[in-house]
Coordinates of all heavy atoms in Angstrom, one line a residue:
G143 N 100.3 110.8 52.2 CA 100.1 109.5 52.7 C 98.7 109.4 53.3 O 98.1 110.4 53.6
S144 N 98.3 108.2 53.6 CA 97.0 108.0 54.3 C 97.3 107.6 55.7 O 98.3 107.0 56.1 CB 96.3 106.8 53.6 OG 97.0 105.6 53.7
E145 N 96.3 108.0 56.5 CA 96.3 107.7 58.0 C 95.5 106.5 58.3 O 94.4 106.3 57.6 CB 95.9 108.9 58.8 CG 96.7 110.2 58.6 CD 98.1 110.0 59.1 OE1 98.3 109.3 60.2 OE2 99.1 110.4 58.5
L146 N 95.8 105.8 59.3 CA 95.0 104.6 59.7 C 94.5 104.9 61.1 O 95.2 105.3 62.0 CB 95.9 103.4 59.8 CG 95.3 102.1 60.2 CD1 94.2 101.6 59.2 CD2 96.3 101.0 60.4
A147 N 93.2 104.8 61.2 CA 92.5 104.9 62.5 C 91.8 103.7 62.9 O 91.0 103.2 62.1 CB 91.6 106.1 62.5
L148 N 91.9 103.2 64.1 CA 91.2 102.0 64.5 C 90.3 102.4 65.6 O 90.5 103.3 66.4 CB 92.2 101.0 65.1 CG 93.1 100.3 64.1 CD1 94.1 99.4 64.8 CD2 92.3 99.5 63.1
D149 N 89.2 101.6 65.8 CA 88.3 101.7 66.9 C 89.0 101.4 68.2 O 89.5 100.3 68.3 CB 87.1 100.8 66.7 CG 86.1 100.9 67.8 OD1 86.4 101.5 68.8 OD2 85.0 100.3 67.6
P150 N 89.2 102.3 69.1 CA 89.9 102.1 70.3 C 89.3 101.0 71.2 O 89.9 100.4 72.1 CB 90.0 103.4 71.0 CG 88.8 104.2 70.5 CD 88.6 103.7 69.1
Y151 N 88.0 100.7 71.0 CA 87.3 99.7 71.8 C 87.2 98.4 71.0 O 86.4 97.5 71.5 CB 85.9 100.2 72.2 CG 86.0 101.4 73.1 CD1 85.9 102.7 72.7 CD2 86.3 101.1 74.5 CE1 86.0 103.7 73.6 CE2 86.4 102.2 75.4 CZ 86.3 103.5 74.9 OH 86.4 104.5 75.8
A152 N 87.8 98.2 69.9 CA 87.8 97.0 69.2 C 88.3 95.8 70.0 O 89.3 96.0 70.7 CB 88.6 97.1 67.9
L153 N 87.6 94.8 70.1 CA 88.0 93.6 70.9 C 88.9 92.7 70.2 O 89.7 92.0 70.8 CB 86.7 92.8 71.4 CG 85.7 93.6 72.2 CD1 84.5 92.7 72.5 CD2 86.4 94.1 73.5
V154 N 88.8 92.7 68.8 CA 89.6 91.8 68.0 C 90.1 92.5 66.8 O 89.4 93.3 66.2 CB 88.7 90.6 67.5 CG1 89.5 89.6 66.7 CG2 88.1 89.8 68.7
L155 N 91.4 92.3 66.5 CA 92.0 92.8 65.3 C 92.5 91.6 64.4 O 92.9 90.6 64.9 CB 93.3 93.7 65.6 CG 93.0 95.0 66.4 CD1 94.4 95.6 66.7 CD2 92.1 95.9 65.6
R156 N 92.4 91.8 63.1 CA 92.9 90.8 62.2 C 93.8 91.5 61.2 O 93.7 92.6 60.8 CB 91.7 90.2 61.4 CG 92.1 89.1 60.5 CD 90.9 88.3 60.0 NE 90.3 87.6 61.1 CZ 89.0 87.4 61.1 NH1 88.2 87.8 60.2 NH2 88.4 86.7 62.2
S157 N 94.9 90.7 60.8 CA 95.9 91.2 59.9 C 96.4 90.1 59.0 O 96.5 89.0 59.4 CB 97.0 91.8 60.7 OG 98.1 92.0 59.9
P158 N 96.7 90.5 57.7 CA 97.2 89.5 56.8 C 98.6 89.0 57.2 O 99.0 87.9 56.8 CB 97.3 90.3 55.5 CG 97.0 91.7 55.7 CD 96.4 91.8 57.1
V159 N 99.4 89.7 58.1 CA 100.7 89.3 58.5 C 100.6 88.4 59.8 O 101.6 87.9 60.2 CB 101.7 90.4 58.6 CG1 101.9 91.1 57.3 CG2 101.3 91.4 59.7
G160 N 99.4 88.4 60.4 CA 99.3 87.5 61.6 C 99.5 88.3 62.9 O 100.2 89.3 62.9
S161 N 98.9 87.9 63.9 CA 98.9 88.6 65.2 C 100.3 88.5 65.9 O 100.6 89.4 66.7 CB 97.8 88.1 66.1 OG 98.0 86.7 66.3
K162 N 101.0 87.4 65.7 CA 102.3 87.3 66.4 C 103.3 88.4 66.0 O 104.3 88.6 66.6 CB 102.9 85.9 66.1 CG 102.0 84.8 66.8 CD 102.6 83.5 66.6 CE 101.7 82.5 67.2 NZ 102.1 81.1 67.1
L163 N 103.1 89.0 64.8 CA 104.0 90.0 64.3 C 103.5 91.4 64.6 O 104.1 92.4 64.0 CB 104.3 89.8 62.8 CG 104.8 88.4 62.5 CD1 104.8 88.3 60.9 CD2 106.2 88.2 63.1
F164 N 102.6 91.6 65.5 CA 101.9 92.9 65.7 C 102.9 94.0 65.9 O 102.8 95.1 65.3 CB 100.9 92.8 66.9 CG 100.1 94.0 67.1 CD1 99.0 94.3 66.3 CD2 100.5 94.9 68.1 CE1 98.2 95.4 66.5 CE2 99.8 96.1 68.3 CZ 98.6 96.3 67.5
N165 N 103.8 93.8 66.8 CA 104.8 94.9 67.1 C 106.0 95.0 66.3 O 106.9 95.7 66.5 CB 105.2 94.8 68.6 CG 104.0 95.1 69.5 OD1 103.2 96.0 69.2 ND2 103.9 94.4 70.6
Q166 N 106.1 94.1 65.3 CA 107.3 94.1 64.4 C 107.1 94.7 63.0 O 107.9 94.6 62.2 CB 107.7 92.6 64.2 CG 108.1 92.0 65.6 CD 108.4 90.5 65.4 OE1 108.5 90.0 64.3 NE2 108.5 89.8 66.5
H167 N 105.9 95.3 62.8 CA 105.6 95.9 61.5 C 105.0 97.3 61.8 O 104.4 97.6 62.8 CB 104.6 95.1 60.8 CG 105.1 93.8 60.3 ND1 105.7 93.6 59.1 CD2 105.1 92.6 60.9 CE1 106.1 92.3 59.0 NE2 105.7 91.7 60.1
S168 N 105.2 98.2 60.8 CA 104.5 99.5 60.8 C 103.0 99.2 60.6 O 102.6 98.1 60.2 CB 105.0 100.4 59.7 OG 104.5 99.9 58.5
A169 N 102.2 100.2 61.0 CA 100.7 100.0 60.9 C 100.4 99.7 59.4 O 99.4 99.0 59.1 CB 100.0 101.2 61.4
H170 N 101.1 100.4 58.5 CA 100.8 100.2 57.1 C 101.0 98.7 56.6 O 100.3 98.1 55.9 CB 101.6 101.1 56.2 CG 101.4 101.0 54.7 ND1 100.2 101.3 54.1 CD2 102.1 100.4 53.8 CE1 100.2 101.1 52.9 NE2 101.4 100.5 52.6
E171 N 102.2 98.2 57.1 CA 102.5 96.8 56.7 C 101.6 95.8 57.5 O 101.1 94.8 56.9 CB 103.9 96.4 57.2 CG 105.0 97.1 56.4 CD 106.4 96.9 57.0 OE1 106.5 97.1 58.2 OE2 107.3 96.7 56.2
F172 N 101.3 96.1 58.7 CA 100.4 95.2 59.5 C 99.0 95.2 59.0 O 98.3 94.2 59.0 CB 100.5 95.6 61.0 CG 99.7 94.8 61.9 CD1 100.0 93.4 62.1 CD2 98.6 95.3 62.6 CE1 99.3 92.6 62.9 CE2 97.9 94.5 63.5 CZ 98.2 93.2 63.6
H173 N 98.6 96.4 58.5 CA 97.2 96.5 57.9 C 96.1 96.0 58.8 O 95.3 95.1 58.3 CB 97.2 95.9 56.5 CG 96.3 96.5 55.6 ND1 96.5 97.8 55.1 CD2 95.2 96.1 55.0 CE1 95.5 98.1 54.3 NE2 94.7 97.1 54.2
P174 N 96.1 96.3 60.1 CA 95.1 95.7 61.0 C 93.7 96.2 60.7 O 93.5 97.3 60.2 CB 95.5 96.2 62.4 CG 96.2 97.5 62.1 CD 96.9 97.3 60.8
R175 N 92.7 95.4 61.0 CA 91.3 95.7 60.8 C 90.5 95.2 62.0 O 90.8 94.2 62.5 CB 90.7 95.1 59.6 CG 91.3 95.6 58.3 CD 90.8 97.0 58.0 NE 91.3 97.5 56.8 CZ 92.3 98.4 56.7 NH1 93.0 98.7 57.7 NH2 92.7 98.8 55.5
A176 N 89.6 96.1 62.5 CA 88.7 95.6 63.6 C 87.8 94.6 63.1 O 87.3 94.6 61.9 CB 88.0 96.8 64.2
V177 N 87.5 93.6 63.9 CA 86.6 92.5 63.5 C 85.5 92.4 64.5 O 85.7 92.5 65.7 CB 87.4 91.1 63.5 CG1 86.5 90.0 63.2 CG2 88.6 91.2 62.6
I178 N 84.3 92.1 64.1 CA 83.2 91.8 65.0 C 83.4 90.4 65.6 O 83.5 89.4 64.8 CB 81.8 91.9 64.3 CG1 81.6 93.3 63.8 CG2 80.7 91.4 65.2 CD1 80.3 93.5 63.0
P179 N 83.6 90.3 66.9 CA 83.9 89.0 67.5 C 82.7 88.1 67.5 O 81.6 88.5 67.4 CB 84.3 89.4 68.9 CG 83.7 90.7 69.2 CD 83.5 91.4 67.9
R180 N 83.1 86.8 67.6 CA 82.0 85.8 67.8 C 81.2 86.0 69.0 O 81.7 86.6 70.0 CB 82.6 84.4 67.7 CG 83.3 84.1 66.4 CD 84.0 82.7 66.5 NE 84.8 82.5 65.4 CZ 84.4 81.9 64.2 NH1 83.2 81.5 64.1 NH2 85.3 81.7 63.2
R181 N 80.0 85.4 69.1 CA 79.1 85.6 70.2 C 79.8 85.4 71.6 O 79.5 86.1 72.5 CB 77.9 84.8 70.0 CG 76.8 85.0 71.1 CD 75.5 84.5 70.7 NE 74.9 85.1 69.5 CZ 74.4 86.3 69.4 NH1 74.3 87.0 70.5 NH2 73.9 86.7 68.3
R182 N 80.6 84.4 71.7 CA 81.2 84.1 73.0 C 82.0 85.2 73.6 O 82.2 85.3 74.8 CB 82.1 82.8 72.9 CG 83.3 83.0 72.1 CD 84.1 81.7 72.0 NE 85.1 82.0 71.0 CZ 86.2 81.3 70.8 NH1 86.4 80.2 71.6 NH2 87.1 81.6 69.9
F183 N 82.5 86.1 72.7 CA 83.2 87.3 73.2 C 82.3 88.4 73.6 O 82.7 89.4 74.1 CB 84.2 87.8 72.1 CG 85.4 86.9 71.8 CD1 85.4 86.1 70.7 CD2 86.4 86.8 72.7 CE1 86.5 85.3 70.4 CE2 87.4 85.9 72.5 CZ 87.5 85.2 71.3
L184 N 81.0 88.3 73.3 CA 80.1 89.4 73.5 C 79.3 89.2 74.8 O 78.3 89.8 74.9 CB 79.1 89.5 72.3 CG 79.8 89.9 71.0 CD1 78.8 89.8 69.8 CD2 80.5 91.2 71.0
Q185 N 79.7 88.3 75.6 CA 79.0 88.1 76.9 C 79.0 89.3 77.7 O 80.1 89.9 77.9 CB 79.6 86.9 77.7 CG 79.5 85.6 76.9 CD 78.1 85.2 76.4 OE1 77.2 85.3 77.2 NE2 78.0 84.7 75.2
F186 N 77.9 89.8 78.2 CA 77.8 91.0 78.9 C 76.7 90.8 79.9 O 75.6 90.3 79.6 CB 77.4 92.2 78.0 CG 77.3 93.5 78.7 CD1 78.4 94.2 79.1 CD2 76.1 94.0 79.0 CE1 78.3 95.4 79.7 CE2 75.9 95.3 79.6 CZ 77.1 96.0 80.0
D187 N 76.9 91.3 81.2 CA 75.9 91.2 82.2 C 75.0 92.4 82.1 O 75.3 93.5 82.5 CB 76.6 91.1 83.6 CG 75.6 91.0 84.7 OD1 74.4 90.8 84.5 OD2 76.0 91.0 85.9
W188 N 73.8 92.2 81.6 CA 72.8 93.2 81.4 C 72.1 93.6 82.7 O 71.3 94.5 82.7 CB 71.8 92.9 80.3 CG 72.4 92.9 78.9 CD1 73.0 91.9 78.3 CD2 72.5 94.0 78.1 NE1 73.5 92.3 77.1 CE2 73.2 93.6 76.9 CE3 72.1 95.4 78.2 CZ2 73.4 94.5 75.8 CZ3 72.4 96.2 77.1 CH2 73.0 95.8 76.0
K189 N 72.3 92.8 83.7 CA 71.6 92.9 85.0 C 70.1 92.9 84.8 O 69.5 92.0 84.3 CB 72.1 94.2 85.7 CG 73.6 94.1 86.0 CD 74.0 95.0 87.1 CE 75.5 95.1 87.3 NZ 76.2 93.9 87.5
D190 N 69.4 94.0 85.1 CA 67.9 94.0 84.9 C 67.5 94.7 83.6 O 66.3 94.8 83.4 CB 67.3 94.8 86.1 CG 67.5 94.1 87.4 OD1 67.6 92.8 87.4 OD2 67.6 94.7 88.5
V191 N 68.4 95.1 82.8 CA 68.1 95.7 81.5 C 68.0 94.7 80.4 O 69.0 93.9 80.2 CB 69.1 96.8 81.1 CG1 68.8 97.4 79.8 CG2 69.2 97.8 82.2
P192 N 66.9 94.6 79.7 CA 66.8 93.5 78.6 C 67.8 93.9 77.5 O 67.9 95.1 77.1 CB 65.4 93.6 78.2 CG 64.9 94.9 78.6 CD 65.6 95.3 79.8
P193 N 68.6 93.0 77.0 CA 69.5 93.3 75.9 C 68.7 93.6 74.6 O 67.6 93.2 74.5 CB 70.3 92.0 75.7 CG 69.4 90.9 76.3 CD 68.6 91.6 77.4
P194 N 69.4 94.3 73.7 CA 68.7 94.6 72.4 C 68.4 93.3 71.7 O 69.2 92.3 71.7 CB 69.7 95.4 71.6 CG 70.9 95.6 72.5 CD 70.7 94.8 73.8
R195 N 67.3 93.2 71.1 CA 66.9 92.0 70.4 C 67.0 92.2 68.9 O 66.1 92.0 68.1 CB 65.4 91.6 70.7 CG 65.2 91.4 72.2 CD 64.3 90.2 72.5 NE 64.1 90.1 73.9 CZ 64.8 89.4 74.8 NH1 65.9 88.8 74.3 NH2 64.5 89.3 76.0
V196 N 68.2 92.6 68.5 CA 68.6 92.9 67.1 C 69.7 91.9 66.7 O 70.7 91.9 67.4 CB 69.1 94.3 66.9 CG1 69.5 94.6 65.5 CG2 68.0 95.3 67.4
P197 N 69.5 91.1 65.7 CA 70.5 90.2 65.3 C 71.8 91.0 64.9 O 71.6 92.1 64.3 CB 70.0 89.5 64.1 CG 68.5 89.6 64.2 CD 68.2 90.9 64.9
L198 N 72.9 90.5 65.2 CA 74.2 91.2 64.9 C 74.3 91.7 63.5 O 74.7 92.8 63.2 CB 75.4 90.4 65.3 CG 76.7 91.1 65.4 CD1 76.7 92.3 66.4 CD2 77.8 90.1 65.9
R199 N 73.8 90.8 62.6 CA 73.9 91.2 61.1 C 73.0 92.3 60.8 O 73.2 93.0 59.7 CB 73.6 89.9 60.3 CG 72.1 89.5 60.3 CD 71.8 88.3 59.5 NE 70.4 87.9 59.6 CZ 70.0 87.1 60.6 NH1 70.8 86.6 61.5 NH2 68.7 86.8 60.7
D200 N 72.0 92.7 61.6 CA 71.1 93.8 61.3 C 71.4 95.0 62.2 O 70.7 96.0 62.1 CB 69.6 93.3 61.6 CG 69.2 92.2 60.7 OD1 69.7 92.2 59.5 OD2 68.3 91.4 61.1
A201 N 72.5 94.9 63.0 CA 72.8 96.0 63.9 C 73.3 97.2 63.1 O 74.1 97.2 62.2 CB 73.9 95.6 64.9
V202 N 72.7 98.4 63.5 CA 73.2 99.7 63.0 C 73.8 100.4 64.1 O 73.1 100.8 65.1 CB 72.0 100.5 62.4 CG1 72.5 101.8 61.9 CG2 71.4 99.7 61.2
V203 N 75.1 100.6 64.1 CA 75.9 101.2 65.2 C 76.3 102.6 64.7 O 76.7 102.9 63.6 CB 77.1 100.4 65.5 CG1 77.9 101.0 66.6 CG2 76.7 99.0 65.9
Y204 N 76.2 103.6 65.6 CA 76.6 105.0 65.4 C 77.8 105.2 66.4 O 77.6 105.4 67.5 CB 75.5 105.9 65.6 CG 75.7 107.4 65.2 CD1 75.2 107.8 64.0 CD2 76.6 108.2 65.9 CE1 75.4 109.1 63.6 CE2 76.8 109.5 65.5 CZ 76.2 110.0 64.4 OH 76.4 111.3 64.0
E205 N 79.0 105.3 65.8 CA 80.2 105.5 66.7 C 80.4 107.0 66.8 O 80.3 107.7 65.8 CB 81.4 104.8 66.1 CG 82.6 104.9 66.9 CD 83.8 104.2 66.4 OE1 83.6 103.3 65.5 OE2 84.9 104.5 66.8
M206 N 80.6 107.4 68.1 CA 80.7 108.9 68.3 C 81.6 109.2 69.4 O 81.9 108.3 70.2 CB 79.3 109.5 68.6 CG 78.8 109.1 70.0 SD 77.3 109.9 70.4 CE 76.1 108.8 69.6
H207 N 82.1 110.4 69.5 CA 82.7 110.9 70.7 C 81.7 111.8 71.4 O 81.1 112.7 70.8 CB 83.9 111.8 70.3 CG 84.8 112.2 71.4 ND1 84.4 113.3 72.2 CD2 85.9 111.7 72.0 CE1 85.3 113.5 73.1 NE2 86.2 112.5 73.0
V208 N 81.4 111.4 72.7 CA 80.3 112.1 73.4 C 80.5 113.6 73.4 O 79.5 114.3 73.0 CB 80.3 111.6 74.9 CG1 79.3 112.4 75.7 CG2 79.9 110.1 74.9
R209 N 81.6 114.1 73.7 CA 81.8 115.6 73.7 C 81.6 116.2 72.3 O 80.9 117.1 72.1 CB 83.2 115.9 74.2 CG 83.5 117.4 74.3 CD 84.9 117.7 74.9 NE 85.3 119.0 74.7 CZ 84.9 120.1 75.4 NH1 84.1 119.9 76.4 NH2 85.4 121.3 75.2
G210 N 82.2 115.6 71.3 CA 82.1 116.1 69.9 C 80.7 116.0 69.4 O 80.2 116.9 68.6
F211 N 79.9 115.0 69.8 CA 78.5 114.8 69.3 C 77.6 115.8 69.9 O 76.6 116.2 69.3 CB 78.1 113.4 69.6 CG 76.7 113.0 69.1 CD1 76.5 112.9 67.7 CD2 75.7 112.8 69.9 CE1 75.3 112.6 67.2 CE2 74.4 112.5 69.4 CZ 74.2 112.3 68.0
T212 N 77.8 116.3 71.1 CA 76.8 117.1 71.8 C 77.4 118.5 72.2 O 76.6 119.3 72.8 CB 76.3 116.4 73.1 OG1 77.4 116.2 74.0 CG2 75.6 115.1 72.7
M213 N 78.6 118.8 72.0 CA 79.2 120.1 72.5 C 78.7 121.3 71.8 O 78.5 122.4 72.4 CB 80.7 120.0 72.5 CG 81.4 121.1 73.3 SD 80.9 120.9 75.0 CE 81.4 122.5 75.7
S214 N 78.5 121.2 70.5 CA 78.1 122.4 69.7 C 76.7 122.9 70.1 O 75.8 122.1 70.4 CB 78.1 122.0 68.2 OG 77.5 123.0 67.4
S215 N 76.5 124.1 70.0 CA 75.2 124.7 70.3 C 74.2 124.2 69.3 O 73.0 124.1 69.5 CB 75.2 126.2 70.3 OG 75.6 126.7 69.0
S216 N 74.6 123.7 68.1 CA 73.7 123.2 67.1 C 73.1 121.9 67.5 O 72.1 121.4 66.9 CB 74.4 123.1 65.7 OG 75.4 122.1 65.8
S217 N 73.7 121.2 68.5 CA 73.1 119.9 69.0 C 71.8 120.2 69.8 O 71.1 119.2 69.9 CB 74.1 119.2 69.9 OG 74.3 119.9 71.1
C218 N 71.6 121.4 70.2 CA 70.4 121.8 70.9 C 70.0 120.9 72.1 O 68.9 120.4 72.3 CB 69.2 121.8 69.9 SG 69.4 122.9 68.6
V219 N 71.1 120.6 72.9 CA 70.8 119.8 74.2 C 71.1 120.7 75.4 O 71.8 121.7 75.3 CB 71.8 118.6 74.2 CG1 71.4 117.6 73.1 CG2 73.2 119.0 74.2
R220 N 70.4 120.3 76.5 CA 70.6 121.1 77.7 C 71.9 120.8 78.4 O 72.4 121.5 79.3 CB 69.4 120.8 78.6 CG 68.1 121.3 78.1 CD 67.0 121.1 79.1 NE 66.8 119.7 79.4 CZ 65.9 118.9 78.8 NH1 65.2 119.4 77.8 NH2 65.8 117.7 79.1
A221 N 72.5 119.6 78.1 CA 73.7 119.2 78.8 C 74.8 118.9 77.7 O 75.2 117.8 77.5 CB 73.5 118.0 79.6
P222 N 75.3 120.0 77.1 CA 76.3 119.8 76.0 C 77.6 119.1 76.5 O 78.0 119.4 77.6 CB 76.6 121.2 75.5 CG 76.0 122.1 76.5 CD 75.0 121.4 77.3
G223 N 78.1 118.2 75.7 CA 79.4 117.6 76.0 C 79.3 116.5 77.0 O 80.4 116.1 77.5
T224 N 78.1 116.0 77.3 CA 78.0 115.0 78.4 C 77.1 113.8 77.9 O 76.5 113.9 76.8 CB 77.3 115.6 79.6 OG1 75.9 115.9 79.2 CG2 78.0 116.9 80.1
F225 N 77.2 112.7 78.7 CA 76.3 111.6 78.4 C 74.8 112.0 78.4 O 74.0 111.4 77.7 CB 76.6 110.4 79.3 CG 77.9 109.7 78.9 CD1 79.1 110.0 79.6 CD2 77.9 108.8 77.9 CE1 80.3 109.4 79.2 CE2 79.1 108.1 77.5 CZ 80.3 108.4 78.2
L226 N 74.5 112.9 79.3 CA 73.1 113.3 79.4 C 72.7 114.0 78.1 O 71.6 113.9 77.6 CB 72.9 114.3 80.6 CG 72.9 113.6 81.9 CD1 72.8 114.7 83.0 CD2 71.8 112.7 82.1
G227 N 73.6 114.7 77.5 CA 73.4 115.3 76.2 C 73.1 114.2 75.1 O 72.2 114.4 74.3
V228 N 73.8 113.1 75.2 CA 73.6 112.0 74.2 C 72.2 111.4 74.5 O 71.5 111.1 73.5 CB 74.7 110.9 74.4 CG1 74.3 109.7 73.5 CG2 76.0 111.5 73.9
V229 N 71.8 111.3 75.7 CA 70.5 110.8 76.0 C 69.4 111.6 75.4 O 68.5 111.1 74.8 CB 70.3 110.7 77.6 CG1 68.8 110.4 77.9 CG2 71.2 109.6 78.2
E230 N 69.6 112.9 75.4 CA 68.7 113.8 74.8 C 68.6 113.6 73.3 O 67.6 113.9 72.6 CB 69.0 115.3 75.0 CG 68.9 115.7 76.5 CD 69.3 117.2 76.6 OE1 68.7 118.0 76.0 OE2 70.2 117.5 77.4
K231 N 69.7 113.1 72.7 CA 69.7 112.9 71.2 C 69.3 111.5 70.8 O 69.3 111.2 69.6 CB 71.2 113.1 70.7 CG 71.7 114.5 71.0 CD 70.9 115.6 70.3 CE 71.2 115.6 68.8 NZ 70.5 116.7 68.1
I232 N 68.8 110.6 71.7 CA 68.4 109.3 71.4 C 67.3 109.3 70.3 O 67.3 108.5 69.3 CB 68.0 108.5 72.6 CG1 69.3 108.1 73.4 CG2 67.2 107.2 72.2 CD1 69.1 107.4 74.7
P233 N 66.2 110.1 70.4 CA 65.2 110.1 69.4 C 65.8 110.4 68.0 O 65.4 109.8 67.0 CB 64.3 111.2 69.8 CG 64.4 111.3 71.3 CD 65.9 111.0 71.5
Y234 N 66.8 111.3 67.9 CA 67.4 111.7 66.6 C 68.2 110.4 66.1 O 68.1 110.1 64.9 CB 68.4 112.8 66.9 CG 69.4 113.0 65.7 CD1 69.0 113.6 64.5 CD2 70.7 112.7 65.9 CE1 69.9 113.8 63.5 CE2 71.6 112.9 64.8 CZ 71.2 113.4 63.7 OH 72.1 113.6 62.6
L235 N 68.9 109.7 67.0 CA 69.7 108.5 66.6 C 68.7 107.5 66.1 O 69.0 106.8 65.1 CB 70.5 108.0 67.7 CG 71.7 109.0 68.1 CD1 72.3 108.5 69.5 CD2 72.7 109.0 67.1
R236 N 67.6 107.3 66.8 CA 66.6 106.3 66.3 C 66.0 106.7 64.9 O 65.8 105.8 64.1 CB 65.5 106.2 67.3 CG 65.9 105.4 68.6 CD 64.8 105.0 69.4 NE 65.2 104.1 70.5 CZ 64.6 103.9 71.5 NH1 63.4 104.4 71.7 NH2 65.1 103.1 72.5
D237 N 65.8 108.0 64.7 CA 65.3 108.4 63.4 C 66.3 108.1 62.3 O 65.9 107.9 61.1 CB 65.0 109.9 63.4 CG 63.8 110.3 64.2 OD1 63.0 109.4 64.5 OD2 63.6 111.5 64.5
L238 N 67.6 108.1 62.6 CA 68.7 107.7 61.7 C 68.7 106.2 61.4 O 69.3 105.8 60.4 CB 70.0 108.1 62.2 CG 70.3 109.6 62.2 CD1 71.7 109.8 62.8 CD2 70.3 110.2 60.8
G239 N 68.0 105.4 62.3 CA 68.0 104.0 62.1 C 69.0 103.2 63.0 O 69.1 102.0 62.9
V240 N 69.6 104.0 63.9 CA 70.5 103.3 64.9 C 69.6 102.4 65.8 O 68.6 102.9 66.3 CB 71.3 104.4 65.7 CG1 72.1 103.7 66.8 CG2 72.1 105.3 64.8
N241 N 70.0 101.2 65.9 CA 69.2 100.3 66.7 C 69.8 99.5 67.8 O 69.2 98.6 68.4 CB 68.5 99.3 65.7 CG 69.5 98.5 64.9 OD1 70.6 98.4 65.2 ND2 69.0 97.8 63.9
V242 N 71.1 99.7 68.1 CA 71.8 99.1 69.2 C 72.6 100.1 69.9 O 73.0 101.1 69.4 CB 72.6 97.9 68.8 CG1 71.8 96.8 68.4 CG2 73.7 98.3 67.8

């Protein structure tokens, strides 16, 4: 069989059977998919940090688990398994084309 994994931070799910039946079907029947929400759902207080100026359609996102991304000695970071380790990998992510 196949396994279904969803983004745990997805703000919106869509399904062919409809949202009202979410808890009445198995994941296979429900067949949920994460959806990029409309702009009104993306309001975020950036405070003094300028938001990325990348149109959503051009966004390149790299989804990761912080510990898994930096814990291995092959990651060559001074702070493995931490957000500081991810900060050290920002040049690498930019080289991959990640832009948000």
Side-chain angles (χ1 to χ4, degrees):
S144 64
E145 298 295 322
L146 178 66
L148 289 175
D149 179 352
Y151 293 100
L153 299 176
V154 179
L155 295 177
R156 183 169 293 147
S157 166
V159 298
S161 60
K162 293 182 182 181
L163 303 174
F164 184 81
N165 290 323
Q166 298 174 11
H167 292 272
S168 71
H170 179 71
E171 292 171 316
F172 183 62
H173 210 65
R175 293 289 181 260
V177 178
I178 296 174
R180 296 179 190 266
R181 184 163 301 282
R182 67 182 172 163
F183 291 107
L184 298 175
Q185 301 303 317
F186 180 78
D187 182 6
W188 289 91
K189 300 201 187 306
D190 295 330
V191 177
R195 303 224 183 270
V196 177
L198 194 54
R199 70 180 175 276
D200 297 329
V202 177
V203 178
Y204 189 105
E205 185 175 343
M206 73 177 83
H207 185 280
V208 171
R209 180 176 167 82
F211 185 67
T212 62
M213 194 62 195
S214 170
S215 61
S216 67
S217 69
C218 301
V219 296
R220 291 184 300 268
T224 67
F225 283 97
L226 287 175
V228 172
V229 169
E230 292 181 57
K231 300 299 284 184
I232 288 174
Y234 167 75
L235 293 169
R236 285 195 174 160
D237 287 346
L238 288 178
V240 177
N241 59 13
V242 292

